[in-house]
């Protein structure tokens, strides 16, 4: 009997040290003891202090709820507010959670003092709840930071608004059409399902609107956590993490092109790419960095417009666009249909205009920027010219992205060489096969009927088909190339004349993926030339393209439309390398 009592006491002490479930007022977590924690009943989530990364001197800490294995972080006290090593998270007898610095100053408080809170608990779904015994007084799910998890509903609450008011700029919208906007919904709720589906709910909707799918949809659901996070770069992403792994993987991103995120480079900043990495710079030497140590904080004029003693001029920035996202449900007063000269001149003469963009894509659109916050994007593939007001004289210069791109210049040249060689080889091969086929048809009357059908087949598929003398059936070049690519034999597809040269296989892979998208039978699946350039430069990720169809010709002369196991049906989804349809490009 005594042994059983001792065993019970021992097990109770161990469970208390390892982590508690119900947390009583008066309990404190200390930043200097990062192994001290409050855990959920099944230890899926825990609340404890984490050192800030990258590390600071002296070290700083945040109090956060994390998934098993230490990552991902799903909530933090004070939205990432840091404390020093003397800091603590206190559950006070008055019923409020308080984050205190080493000096004793309060840096965050739950605001639940004297509201009858009697206990706290971290649930197995990651929700930290302050309760009065029967009802929830406060919860982390109702006070999110930058992340939501399955079973957590993100909705309109105090201090938020579904309208596009104030100084907000909606640069990504998804899920609703023109007949049902956010302003028409009564109680919109955004929820992430455990299987990886992001959905929008509302009583006015007949069925939930599917906003996005993670690319690991419905995989490993029992031990896989998926989260939706608004990252510090302004992009919205779905991450997944296997329980206990401590690692996270991006499974979906809202804005494929990071430079399309409004304000990514701060006010007057110009976003461009160094290889596949977005970097920030200033429009010219008329500007300087707000913070030389952080280019994302934007740029400021060396001479303010109101202090300009000379003439105000319009600085021209080639292949650049000042991001403008017209609302879908109202007229945007910043958009006009005028010529390039008028687009520049009207802005120069208007005191309320700070910059303008003229599109050279045949639309005649001109964006007049009346807001003093300008977010720019520069890319050689952009058919637009932008102008920004500065105090003269003009001091144009190349943005840092072009100056720093020298390191990757050789690799990009290799990519273009690979592209040219592969495409020229394809064209030469097609010309040779076409001539051989025409010669055979003219000298073989028995094949005239088949030749007519085959001519139509050539037009549809974009490449002639090989026929053997023995079985009149061989694969066309695009299918052979795709199969070799699937086997990982990239060098087998590249022209033999390049074998002796140094070839960047990763860039060669991008070239082949781009080629396979460009020869898709459905025109809607083929990327634009601008997107092809971005694909080859590594600016955007390239999804796996559908396999080319294999259409065989039987010995009787009939065409057999059956497809091989690597083929896809004609309704294969379009590639997802293009930005959201709500973005004006």
């Amino acid at each position: 009997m005594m042994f059983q009592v001792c065993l019970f006491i021992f097990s109770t002490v161990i469970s208390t040290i390892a982590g508690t479930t119900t947390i009583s007022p008066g309990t404190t977590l200390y930043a200097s003891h990062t192994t001290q924690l409050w855990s959920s009943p099944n230890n899926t989530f825990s609340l404890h202090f984490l050192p800030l990364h990258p590390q600071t001197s002296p070290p700083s800490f945040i109090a956060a709820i994390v998934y098993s294995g230490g990552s991902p972080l799903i909530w933090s006290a004070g939205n990432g507010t840091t404390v020093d090593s003397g800091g603590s998270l206190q559950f006070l007898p008055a019923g409020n959670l308080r984050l205190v610095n080493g000096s004793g100053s309060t840096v965050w408080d739950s605001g639940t003092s004297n509201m009858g809170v009697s206990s706290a608990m971290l649930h197995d779904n990651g929700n930290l709840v302050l309760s009065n015994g029967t009802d929830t007084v406060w919860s982390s799910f109702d006070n999110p930071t930058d992340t939501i998890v399955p079973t957590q509903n993100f909705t309109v609450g105090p201090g938020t608004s579904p309208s596009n008011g104030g100084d907000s700029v909606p640069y990504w919208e998804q899920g609703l059409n023109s007949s049902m906007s956010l302003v028409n919904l009564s109680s919109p709720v955004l929820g992430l399902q455990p299987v990886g589906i992001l959905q929008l709910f509302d009583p006015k909707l007949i069925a939930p609107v599917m906003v996005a799918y993670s690319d690991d949809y419905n995989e490993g659901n029992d031990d896989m956590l998926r989260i939706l996070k608004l990252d510090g770069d302004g992009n919205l992403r779905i991450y997944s993490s296997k329980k206990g792994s401590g690692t996270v993987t991006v499974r979906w991103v809202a804005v494929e092109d990071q430079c399309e995120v409004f304000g990514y480079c701060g006010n007057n900043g110009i976003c461009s790419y160094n290889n596949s990495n977005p970097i920030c710079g200033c429009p010219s030497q008329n500007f300087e960095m707000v913070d030389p140590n952080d280019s994302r904080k934007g740029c400021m004029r060396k001479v303010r417009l109101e202090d300009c003693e000379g003439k105000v001029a319009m600085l021209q920035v080639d292949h650049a666009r000042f991001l403008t996202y017209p609302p879908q449900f109202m007229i945007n007063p910043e958009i006009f249909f005028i010529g390039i000269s008028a687009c520049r001149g009207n802005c120069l003469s208007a005191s309320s205009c700070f910059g303008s963009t003229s599109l050279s894509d045949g639309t005649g659109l001109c964006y007049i920027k009346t807001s003093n916050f300008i977010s720019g994007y520069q890319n050689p593939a952009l058919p637009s010219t932008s102008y920004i007001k500065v105090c003269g004289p003009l001091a144009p210069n190349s943005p840092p992205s072009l100056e720093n791109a020298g390191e990757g210049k050789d690799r990009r040249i290799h990519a273009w060489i690979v592209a040219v060689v592969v495409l020229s080889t394809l064209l030469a091969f097609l010309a040779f096969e076409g001539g051989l086929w025409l010669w055979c048809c003219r000298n073989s009357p028995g094949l005239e009927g088949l030749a007519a059908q085959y001519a139509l087949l050539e037009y549809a598929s974009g490449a002639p088909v090989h026929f053997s003398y023995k079985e009149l059936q061989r694969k066309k070049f695009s299918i052979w190339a795709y199969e070799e690519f699937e086997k990982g034999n990239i060098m087998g597809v590249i022209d033999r004349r390049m074998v002796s040269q140094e070839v960047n296989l990763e860039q060669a892979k991008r070239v082949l993926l781009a080629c396979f998208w460009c020869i898709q039978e459905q025109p809607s699946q083929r990327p634009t030339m601008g997107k092809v350039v971005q694909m080859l430069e590594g600016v955007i990720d390239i999804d796996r393209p559908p396999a080319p169809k294999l259409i065989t010709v039987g010995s009787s002369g009939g065409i057999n439309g059956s497809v091989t196991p690597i083929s896809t049906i004609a309704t294969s989804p379009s590639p997802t390398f293009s930005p959201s349809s709500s973005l004006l490009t």
Side-chain angles (χ1 to χ4, degrees):
M1 180 65 179
M2 181 62 68
F3 173 76
Q4 292 176 341
V5 171
C6 292
L7 181 61
F8 171 76
I9 295 175
F10 177 76
S11 62
T12 302
V13 172
I14 292 298
S15 64
T16 303
I17 295 175
T20 59
T21 53
T22 301
I23 308 161
S24 302
T27 308
T28 300
L29 293 175
Y30 296 96
S32 57
H33 297 82
T34 55
T35 57
Q36 184 189 18
L37 52 84
W38 296 338
S39 65
S40 63
N42 63 4
N43 297 316
T44 302
F45 293 93
S46 60
L47 170 60
H48 59 96
F49 277 96
L50 298 171
L52 188 66
H53 289 289
Q55 294 184 354
T56 59
S57 181
S60 299
F61 301 85
I62 58 173
I65 299 174
V66 296
Y67 187 52
S68 173
S71 187
L73 185 155
I74 67 168
W75 181 86
S76 60
N79 194 14
T81 301
T82 61
V83 296
D84 54 31
S85 58
S88 61
L89 180 64
Q90 305 169 356
F91 184 24
L92 300 176
N96 55 319
L97 279 174
R98 178 174 293 177
L99 184 63
V100 180
N101 213 332
S103 62
S105 60
T106 299
V107 295
W108 174 80
D109 192 282
S110 63
T112 54
S113 178
N114 300 318
M115 297 179 64
V117 174
S118 58
S119 65
M121 182 176 181
L122 181 58
H123 291 262
D124 286 332
N125 59 359
N127 190 16
L128 177 63
V129 175
L130 303 184
S131 168
N132 60 11
T134 56
D135 299 319
T136 297
V137 177
W138 179 95
S139 73
S140 59
F141 274 18
D142 293 333
N143 296 270
T145 51
D146 58 5
T147 302
I148 63 172
V149 298
T151 72
Q152 179 180 4
N153 292 327
F154 183 75
T155 185
V156 178
T160 63
S161 172
S163 63
N164 299 330
D167 296 327
S168 62
V169 177
Y171 52 84
W172 178 80
E173 294 178 347
Q174 184 70 27
L176 298 175
N177 53 35
S178 58
S179 64
M180 182 61 71
S181 66
L182 283 176
V183 295
N184 295 328
L185 303 182
S186 58
S187 302
V189 173
L190 187 67
L192 179 64
Q193 304 305 307
V195 295
I197 303 177
L198 185 62
Q199 293 178 305
L200 182 66
F201 304 86
D202 190 85
K204 291 187 177 181
L205 295 174
I206 300 176
V209 175
M210 303 298 178
V211 178
Y213 288 83
S214 64
D215 62 15
D216 65 342
Y217 162 70
N218 207 28
E219 296 179 5
N221 295 324
D222 293 337
D223 59 351
M224 188 74 71
L225 173 71
R226 296 177 177 88
I227 65 170
L228 178 70
K229 183 178 181 181
L230 181 60
D231 284 316
D233 60 8
N235 220 328
L236 188 66
R237 295 178 175 89
I238 293 178
Y239 294 88
S240 67
S241 176
K242 189 173 183 180
K243 187 174 182 180
S245 67
T247 60
V248 294
T249 304
V250 177
R251 296 301 185 180
W252 172 82
V253 60
V255 184
E256 293 280 352
D257 190 339
Q258 183 60 43
C259 282
E260 294 276 6
V261 174
F262 188 86
Y264 174 72
C265 288
N267 189 20
N268 297 322
I270 303 293
C271 181
S272 55
Y273 284 91
N274 181 5
N275 292 329
S276 59
N277 300 316
I279 59 175
C280 299
C282 295
S284 77
Q285 294 179 359
N286 294 99
F287 294 80
E288 60 185 359
M289 291 282 183
V290 173
D291 183 355
N293 298 319
D294 188 355
S295 61
R296 285 197 54 205
K297 291 186 177 179
C299 305
M300 58 183 179
R301 294 176 177 85
K302 293 180 178 179
V303 180
R304 298 190 308 171
L305 296 178
E306 53 267 32
D307 298 334
C308 183
E309 297 180 355
K311 288 186 177 181
V312 174
M314 298 298 290
L315 172 72
Q316 180 172 319
V317 187
D318 295 324
H319 301 290
R321 176 162 57 91
F322 294 145
L323 301 183
T324 302
Y325 302 101
Q328 294 183 357
F329 314 111
M330 62 185 73
I331 297 176
N332 191 324
E334 293 187 347
I335 297 181
F336 300 89
F337 290 92
I338 54 179
I340 295 178
S341 299
C343 187
R344 173 186 175 277
N346 288 358
C347 182
L348 179 62
S349 61
S351 59
S352 60
C353 179
F354 296 94
S356 62
T357 293
S358 178
L359 300 186
S360 304
D361 57 358
T363 61
L365 282 175
C366 171
Y367 300 154
I368 300 295
K369 305 302 294 183
T370 56
S371 169
N372 198 21
F373 192 101
I374 292 178
S375 180
Y377 179 16
Q378 187 172 41
N379 189 302
L382 290 178
S384 57
T385 303
S386 293
Y387 306 91
I388 187 169
K389 275 185 179 178
V390 296
C391 181
L394 300 179
N397 72 312
S398 299
S401 61
L402 300 181
E403 296 173 0
N404 298 335
E407 299 176 0
K409 183 177 180 182
D410 293 338
R411 286 184 290 176
R412 286 201 301 274
I413 291 177
H414 287 167
W416 284 106
I417 292 176
V418 173
V420 171
V421 172
V422 170
L423 292 176
S424 60
T425 302
L426 281 172
L427 292 175
F429 185 84
L430 295 179
F432 172 76
E433 291 260 333
L436 181 62
W437 173 247
L438 288 176
W439 182 85
C440 291
C441 288
R442 289 175 179 176
N443 292 276
S444 303
L447 294 176
E448 291 179 356
L450 180 60
Q453 300 179 41
Y454 178 59
L456 179 61
L457 179 62
E458 282 183 326
Y459 181 80
S461 64
V465 180
H466 292 259
F467 292 96
S468 67
Y469 292 101
K470 183 177 181 180
E471 56 186 4
L472 271 178
Q473 180 180 357
R474 282 183 61 186
K475 299 172 185 175
K476 55 185 179 180
F477 179 77
S478 59
I479 293 180
W480 170 81
Y482 190 90
E483 289 184 348
E484 292 300 311
F485 175 79
E486 287 287 282
K487 296 175 184 177
N489 185 20
I490 296 178
M491 293 299 297
V493 184
I494 295 177
D495 194 303
R496 293 180 180 178
R497 290 171 291 180
M498 297 189 64
V499 174
S500 59
Q501 302 180 22
E502 183 180 353
V503 177
N504 188 315
L505 290 180
E506 183 62 30
Q507 293 181 341
K509 178 181 177 181
R510 298 189 70 85
V511 170
L512 288 173
L513 286 172
C515 289
F516 291 136
W517 275 118
C518 290
I519 63 172
Q520 291 298 309
E521 294 187 38
Q522 297 297 322
S524 61
Q525 292 182 316
R526 302 168 193 161
T528 63
M529 200 60 217
K531 291 303 174 187
V532 171
V533 173
Q534 291 182 330
M535 292 161 73
L536 294 175
E537 290 185 344
V539 173
I540 57 177
D541 294 329
I542 311 176
D543 287 348
R544 176 181 174 182
K549 282 188 177 181
L550 176 61
I551 304 181
T552 61
V553 182
S555 58
S556 61
I559 296 181
N560 182 1
S562 61
V563 298
T564 64
I566 64 169
S567 301
T568 57
I569 58 176
T571 57
S572 300
S574 299
T576 58
F577 44 74
S578 59
S580 168
S581 59
S582 65
L583 303 180
L584 184 59
T585 57

